């Protein structure tokens, strides 16, 4: 019996050690370490610095607000919110900026670099580029008339990037509803999150080549709207010509995006499919009728997106310059 008791005690001690080790692994890699007050003591100038640079950038070009929101999305959707999208090519890896969905499309790198430069002067080596991207997306939304939410911070920056993952992870503008739901679900985001986040297309512009097939070939589109877009997007030329995603208020963050969908005036195929007799129709109607619900769901979804696989604890690093590893 004494042997049994000793063996049992040893096993119990072993299990406690294993449990503690697993708990340590979990907490070091989960969003549990993110907090809204992470930099309150180490860099109290953080929020004011980010807002002033973003405000200045949007004052020069309203479209930049949408670009910074998109930068956040394209970063988080590829192996988490780790600022990997900001890394330029090196001798050891191909960066994500050259991936199909990002190449000559994603913008705002210079704004983040300017913010980082200013922060390094007041809080050297403290604030990650990943957290700058998160805050800049929130501030851009607010400055263009959208909702405010408290951002959770404490992410660290990746030391590498993954061009292949960027090419495969991001949703396509030709996606179906089921494909969109599946893609967002793989990131821990619900169908509601997906429809709410799509509402960021109430701001910004896109290139002719992304919607040409829709305005010439699809039937679930308002004819006058298609004709209007065809004038600046010819069948065979003008690939890079820009058009606003929301033709009513392209520089204001509101719920007109959803109203456009109901009237078959969504510019991208992946936008209009959200209101095409599918499971997402009711949510589009709700958001088109109630901007407060849209704002609330959008803010909640942005927080959830920011929770995608953050590097915390000892994972990653705090880059000195956002475009290259230390």
């Amino acid at each position: 019996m004494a042997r049994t008791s000793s063996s049992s005690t040893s096993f119990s001690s072993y299990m406690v050690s294993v449990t503690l080790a697993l708990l340590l692994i979990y907490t070091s890699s989960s969003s549990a370490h993110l907090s809204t007050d992470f930099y309150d003591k180490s860099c109290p100038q953080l929020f004011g610095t980010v807002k002033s640079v973003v405000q200045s950038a949007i004052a020069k070009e309203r479209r930049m607000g949408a670009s910074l929101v998109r930068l956040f999305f394209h970063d988080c959707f590829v192996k988490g919110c780790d600022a990997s999208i900001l890394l330029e090519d090196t001798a050891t890896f191909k960066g994500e900026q050259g991936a199909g969905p990002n190449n000559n499309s994603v913008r705002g790198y210079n704004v983040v670099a300017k913010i980082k430069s200013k922060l390094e002067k007041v809080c050297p080596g403290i604030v990650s580029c990943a957290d700058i991207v998160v805050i800049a997306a929130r501030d851009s939304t607010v400055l263009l008339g959208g909702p405010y939410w408290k951002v959770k911070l404490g992410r660290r920056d990746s030391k590498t990037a993954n061009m292949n993952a960027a090419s495969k992870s991001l949703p396509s503008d030709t996606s179906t509803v089921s494909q969109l739901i599946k893609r967002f679900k793989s990131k821990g985001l619900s169908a509601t999150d997906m429809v709410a986040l799509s509402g960021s297309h109430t701001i910004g512009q896109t290139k002719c080549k992304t919607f040409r097939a829709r305005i010439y070939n699809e039937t679930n589109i308002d004819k006058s709207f298609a004709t209007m877009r065809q004038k600046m997007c010819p069948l065979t030329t003008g690939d890079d010509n820009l058009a606003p995603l929301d033709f009513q208020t392209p520089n204001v963050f509101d719920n007109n995006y959803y109203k456009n969908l109901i009237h078959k005036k969504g510019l991208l195929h992946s936008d209009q499919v959200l209101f095409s007799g599918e499971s997402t129709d009711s949510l589009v109607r709700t958001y088109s009728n109630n901007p407060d619900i849209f704002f609330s769901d959008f803010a909640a979804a942005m927080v959830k997106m920011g929770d995608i696989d953050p590097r915390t604890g000892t994972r990653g690093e705090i880059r000195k310059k956002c475009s290259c590893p230390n």
Side-chain angles (χ1 to χ4, degrees):
M1 293 296 291
R3 287 183 181 178
T4 304
S5 176
S6 176
S7 175
S8 176
T9 300
S10 297
F11 179 74
S12 296
S13 298
Y14 168 74
M15 288 306 295
V16 169
S17 297
V18 170
T19 301
L20 288 172
L22 289 173
L23 182 61
L24 181 61
I25 292 171
Y26 170 75
T27 54
S28 68
S29 61
S30 75
S31 61
H33 274 237
L34 300 180
S35 65
T36 57
D37 61 355
F38 189 84
Y39 296 108
D40 281 6
K41 293 182 179 179
S42 60
C43 189
Q45 306 96 323
L46 171 60
F47 290 113
T49 303
V50 176
K51 184 178 179 180
S52 66
V53 176
V54 172
Q55 201 162 21
S56 175
I58 292 177
K60 292 177 182 176
E61 182 194 13
R62 296 281 287 182
R63 181 190 172 201
M64 185 52 71
S67 296
L68 290 169
V69 173
R70 188 165 181 252
L71 181 65
F72 165 70
F73 179 87
H74 281 233
D75 181 39
C76 294
F77 233 72
V78 182
K79 296 187 177 296
C81 308
D82 60 2
S84 58
I85 195 172
L86 304 178
L87 292 174
E88 297 174 354
D89 296 350
T90 70
T92 56
F93 65 79
K94 275 279 191 181
E96 296 166 17
Q97 295 180 19
N102 299 333
N103 191 33
N104 294 319
S105 175
V106 172
R107 307 163 70 241
Y109 305 118
N110 58 325
V111 177
V112 175
K114 187 172 184 179
I115 294 170
K116 179 64 172 175
S117 177
K118 286 182 175 292
L119 287 173
E120 284 300 298
K121 292 176 182 177
V122 293
C123 311
I126 299 295
V127 182
S128 69
C129 299
D131 279 342
I132 291 173
V133 171
V134 173
I135 302 169
R138 189 276 307 275
D139 287 356
S140 293
T141 302
V142 174
L143 289 166
L144 292 177
Y148 172 89
W149 63 93
K150 287 188 175 182
V151 289
K152 293 194 287 184
L153 304 168
R155 299 167 191 79
R156 290 166 67 83
D157 301 321
S158 66
K159 298 179 181 180
T160 186
N162 193 318
M163 182 178 182
N164 188 50
S167 300
K168 295 180 178 179
S169 299
L170 292 160
S172 164
D173 50 52
T174 60
S175 297
T176 64
V177 168
S178 60
Q179 288 172 334
L180 288 169
I181 291 174
K182 183 178 180 180
R183 185 60 58 90
F184 277 73
K185 185 178 180 181
S186 72
K187 303 298 179 182
L189 299 167
S190 68
T192 297
D193 295 327
M194 182 271 289
V195 178
L197 290 168
S198 296
S200 64
H201 285 181
T202 184
I203 52 176
Q205 301 181 58
T206 189
K207 294 181 179 180
C208 164
K209 61 184 178 182
T210 66
F211 60 85
R212 179 183 284 120
R214 169 158 168 72
I215 62 174
Y216 284 100
N217 303 329
E218 297 187 6
T219 56
N220 63 335
I221 186 169
D222 178 86
K223 289 184 178 180
S224 62
F225 176 71
T227 300
M228 175 177 68
R229 285 289 159 253
Q230 288 169 6
K231 290 179 180 178
M232 53 71 59
C233 182
L235 262 174
T236 57
T237 60
D239 279 5
D240 293 337
N241 292 351
L242 294 170
L245 288 159
D246 169 8
F247 76 98
Q248 294 194 72
T249 51
N251 293 315
V252 178
F253 197 102
D254 55 24
N255 66 332
N256 278 335
Y257 165 81
Y258 300 103
K259 295 178 181 180
N260 295 339
L261 299 186
I262 289 175
H263 293 100
K264 298 183 178 181
K265 295 179 180 180
L267 187 58
L268 298 177
H269 172 87
S270 55
D271 287 332
Q272 193 58 56
V273 292
L274 300 181
F275 192 80
S276 58
E278 299 280 355
S279 59
T280 51
D281 282 17
S282 60
L283 201 51
V284 171
R285 286 194 185 279
T286 297
Y287 291 159
S288 71
N289 291 323
N290 196 321
D292 290 338
I293 294 177
F294 163 48
F295 276 22
S296 177
D297 285 359
F298 180 82
M302 288 290 276
V303 172
K304 285 179 69 175
M305 181 171 285
D307 284 343
I308 298 175
D309 192 24
R311 280 163 172 73
T312 56
T314 57
R315 296 174 70 203
E317 63 184 12
I318 305 298
R319 285 183 217 144
K320 296 175 182 176
K321 187 177 179 182
C322 291
S323 60
C324 59
N326 292 341

